[in-house]
Amino acid sequence: MSVGGRSSASATARLSVLVAVLSVPAFTGVWELIARSGIVNAVLFPPPSTVAVAILEWIRTGQFFGDLMASLSRVAGGFAVGAAGGIVLGVLTGRVRLVSSLLSPLFHILRPIPPIAFVPIVILWFGLSETGKLFLVVWGVFFTVWLATHIGVQKVDHGLIRAAQMLGTPQPQMLWEIVLLGALPYVTVGLRTAVSISFYTLVAAELAGSFAGIVYRIEIAQQNMQTGQVMGGLAALGLLSFVADRSFAILAERAVWWR
Amino acid sequence: MIPSLLCPDQPLRLVDTHSPSASARQAIIRVEDLSIVFDVPSGHVIAVDRVSLAVTQGEFVSIVGPSGCGKSTLLNAMAGLERPFEGQVLIAGEAMLAPRPEIGMVFQQPHLFPWKSVRRNIAHGPRALGKSKAEALRIADDLIAMIGLTKFASAYPHTLSGGMQQRVAIARALANQPRVLLMDEPFGALDAQTRAVMQDNLLELRERINATIVFVTHDIDEAILLSDRVLIMSAGPGRILKDLQVSLPRPRSSAIVAEAAYLALKRDCLDLIRSEGRRAFEQMEIRT
């Protein structure tokens, strides 16, 4: 009885693995069929084969690499600056009451404004320069990381701080070692959220006017009615964002090294 | 035979009992008319009410009392973690207004830094006080050997049992060579067997270090076993009810709990606590 039950359970498990492996090819196949059947307009809804050709062409001409680098450098640069600022100010507002009184009300007012809403003023301030794009990404990342750090710092085990006080820990070491490492599990969650946010804001930044980048390529392709290229761009953006999130998750796991 | 062990007439302030000048020189900790008041939504609570006591250099003093009697608050005031509302705490003649590295503390929870190995946890204090890394690690290694955890020197705290963690916490507090070691129910979170082992360990350890120890507990057995003197506190507001000298011979071990002298002392403590509990309870009924 029990043996039979177990083998049927393992059969179910095997079946679900099989279904999972076939899921994407199956949908791609159905998409190919529908796009080729003439039910839909193939110009607006090209089959995956057309998308694949567009992607290969994109890579072959060398444009893909340039676009990738342009987008990656905006995301990485904006993330680094925003995250560093968010962590530093988060530790200070979380731990030093005077700094918190000074900055927290301001940050809480600015934080809920979607970064995309800043596109018009960013264009006024920075034109179409890289600085403006960096600004948007930094803006999106900063508040997320700041809030996570601020909350994390306040949740640091008070006993750890007392123990460190009793051992004569000087104030700078208290902030940048005990408090920051104590808050690290929260900070990494904030950083991971900020990875996705940096991609959202990248879209806004590149749509606002740029000369290279994955989202720029999508926009140009749209204007030329190259739907296959548009979809190829979306796929590239999705893949890039996915890889960034996964690799950050692995990194975050290692960052809290003592667990 | 037994009454000689107890000093029922001993007043609260030990300083006043001996020749004042001599004991004033010897007393390393002096708590003078200390009151600590906490603000709560419904007004305020007097946690410690005009407590005075003195602890002599090298002495092991326990503070015993029911939960919420203010014994931990009193200890925190000695640590400089709690500001006096009135009165003061003097250690080595200096008022305790903030923690000082010459005063070590072991809490009920080990509160080890989870991101540091056992070795680095213990080395933290000496490093914070500006000792070289090599020197700090040497101090740590000596202490690790003393607490018998050499095999676990590079282990992270979460991989250790509760008793081992607390041993590391004690070693960490000793790394700064404190003149005074404050212990706030350090074995309270451990199971009975581990607690007995830890008590024996502490008795042995005490023979090797020359720190003055103030030990807070609600366990009378533990207090008598470990201490030279037991202070019994009453609850609401926190006051010192009795100051008992424990003249049992040293070295002691947990086997002492079966001895007649020990039992007599314990009976005395229990009577006191029971009558105090009844008084507090009746008082509460009158108030309500």
Side-chain angles (χ1 to χ4, degrees):
Chain A
M1 252 335 261
S2 70
V3 173
R6 206 175 299 150
S7 82
S8 93
S10 80
T12 315
R14 252 179 285 143
L15 183 66
S16 43
V17 170
L18 190 69
V19 169
V21 169
L22 290 180
S23 155
V24 174
F27 277 108
T28 316
V30 172
W31 171 12
E32 183 81 32
L33 280 178
I34 292 173
R36 288 191 179 278
S37 65
I39 304 169
V40 293
N41 183 341
V43 174
L44 295 179
F45 194 70
S49 51
T50 310
V51 175
V53 169
I55 292 173
L56 287 176
E57 187 65 11
W58 191 17
I59 295 170
R60 201 186 56 77
T61 57
Q63 277 179 332
F64 174 73
F65 187 72
D67 288 337
L68 182 70
M69 282 303 129
S71 292
L72 266 186
S73 64
R74 285 169 194 144
V75 166
F79 183 83
V81 174
I87 289 172
V88 169
L89 285 173
V91 168
L92 290 176
T93 59
R95 187 73 189 143
V96 185
R97 188 174 294 173
L98 196 66
V99 180
S100 180
S101 309
L102 182 70
L103 297 179
S104 295
L106 185 71
F107 287 175
H108 280 299
I109 292 170
L110 294 176
R111 193 176 60 84
I113 306 173
I116 301 173
F118 282 87
V119 168
I121 194 127
V122 162
I123 291 175
L124 285 182
W125 286 345
F126 302 103
L128 299 182
S129 71
E130 281 304 306
T131 319
K133 290 165 188 57
L134 204 67
F135 177 90
L136 283 172
V137 179
V138 168
W139 189 272
V141 169
F142 172 80
F143 288 108
T144 309
V145 176
W146 167 74
L147 189 66
T149 310
H150 179 83
I151 291 171
V153 162
Q154 291 181 327
K155 298 215 167 170
V156 172
D157 179 6
H158 201 64
L160 280 186
I161 292 173
R162 285 192 154 197
Q165 275 178 334
M166 291 308 298
L167 293 168
T169 312
Q171 197 56 28
Q173 192 187 1
M174 184 70 94
L175 281 184
W176 306 115
E177 186 191 325
I178 309 298
V179 171
L180 183 54
L181 288 183
L184 196 60
Y186 286 88
V187 175
T188 52
V189 172
L191 287 174
R192 190 169 168 193
T193 316
V195 171
S196 324
I197 289 179
S198 64
F199 278 94
Y200 297 151
T201 40
L202 174 78
V203 174
E206 291 194 1
L207 285 179
S210 53
F211 310 101
I214 290 173
V215 184
Y216 161 80
R217 196 60 57 197
I218 292 173
E219 201 191 8
I220 294 296
Q222 177 248 333
Q223 284 165 13
N224 296 334
M225 270 308 257
Q226 297 164 313
T227 330
Q229 171 72 73
V230 170
M231 287 182 170
L234 288 175
L237 192 63
L239 190 68
L240 189 62
S241 176
F242 174 77
V243 168
D245 182 65
R246 286 314 304 162
S247 34
F248 192 85
I250 293 165
L251 216 70
E253 200 74 10
R254 301 250 168 108
V256 188
W257 72 86
W258 58 90
R259 282 209 290 220
Chain B
M1 44 156 195
I2 291 135
S4 66
L5 290 171
L6 304 175
C7 310
D9 298 322
Q10 190 149 13
L12 242 62
R13 295 178 208 196
L14 260 206
V15 213
D16 301 338
T17 61
H18 312 294
S19 78
S21 61
S23 60
R25 235 191 359 257
Q26 281 184 333
I28 182 162
I29 305 174
R30 294 169 60 90
V31 175
E32 295 175 342
D33 286 317
L34 180 73
S35 295
I36 293 174
V37 177
F38 290 128
D39 291 323
V40 291
S42 57
H44 59 263
V45 169
I46 302 170
V48 175
D49 189 19
R50 287 162 292 162
V51 166
S52 293
L53 61 94
V55 179
T56 317
Q57 177 90 46
E59 209 178 8
F60 193 127
V61 174
S62 284
I63 303 173
V64 184
S67 309
C69 73
K71 55 191 192 295
S72 290
T73 310
L74 176 57
L75 197 75
N76 282 340
M78 292 185 196
L81 291 169
E82 206 73 70
R83 286 296 189 91
F85 177 73
E86 266 172 14
Q88 60 178 349
V89 177
L90 297 168
I91 295 189
E94 238 181 288
M96 291 304 297
L97 299 171
R100 289 191 341 228
E102 55 173 346
I103 321 294
M105 182 130 173
V106 178
F107 302 86
Q108 183 170 7
Q109 299 299 326
H111 293 314
L112 299 176
F113 305 121
W115 53 85
K116 289 187 168 195
S117 64
V118 164
R119 204 164 172 241
R120 304 233 165 215
N121 258 286
I122 300 173
H124 180 95
R127 281 297 278 157
L129 297 188
K131 289 223 163 67
S132 75
K133 197 168 180 175
E135 171 74 355
L137 289 176
R138 197 190 53 71
I139 294 172
D141 288 337
D142 286 352
L143 284 162
I144 291 170
M146 192 154 96
I147 58 170
L149 287 181
T150 307
K151 268 199 289 184
F152 298 91
S154 48
Y156 282 94
H158 74 101
T159 62
L160 306 180
S161 71
M164 284 155 105
Q165 289 188 22
Q166 201 57 294
R167 263 141 82 191
V168 176
I170 293 170
R172 183 177 64 174
L174 292 176
N176 280 345
Q177 291 183 292
R179 301 179 64 183
V180 172
L181 183 60
L182 307 171
M183 306 184 89
D184 188 3
E185 299 196 45
F187 310 143
L190 303 175
D191 61 82
Q193 270 175 311
T194 312
R195 197 183 311 147
V197 173
M198 295 293 289
Q199 288 164 354
D200 283 342
N201 282 346
L202 184 60
L203 282 170
E204 282 169 37
L205 197 68
R206 208 222 150 184
E207 302 297 320
R208 293 197 244 175
I209 58 168
N210 52 1
T212 306
I213 300 177
V214 181
F215 191 101
V216 161
T217 179
H218 58 255
D219 182 343
I220 294 161
D221 287 308
E222 185 171 70
I224 299 175
L225 169 67
L226 297 173
S227 319
D228 300 318
R229 199 145 59 88
V230 177
L231 305 177
I232 297 176
M233 272 186 91
S234 68
R239 281 193 190 131
I240 291 179
L241 210 61
K242 197 76 185 174
D243 187 333
L244 290 172
Q245 202 77 34
V246 183
S247 323
L248 299 166
R250 286 183 189 272
R252 301 178 195 157
S253 79
S254 42
I256 209 174
V257 296
E259 284 176 25
Y262 173 89
L263 290 171
L265 206 56
K266 184 178 174 183
R267 191 183 321 122
D268 213 66
C269 286
L270 284 174
D271 283 348
L272 204 67
I273 288 171
R274 209 167 290 135
S275 66
E276 167 58 18
R278 206 175 301 125
R279 187 197 62 79
F281 188 73
E282 279 161 10
Q283 217 171 41
M284 222 155 63
E285 283 194 323
I286 292 163
R287 260 187 238 154
T288 51

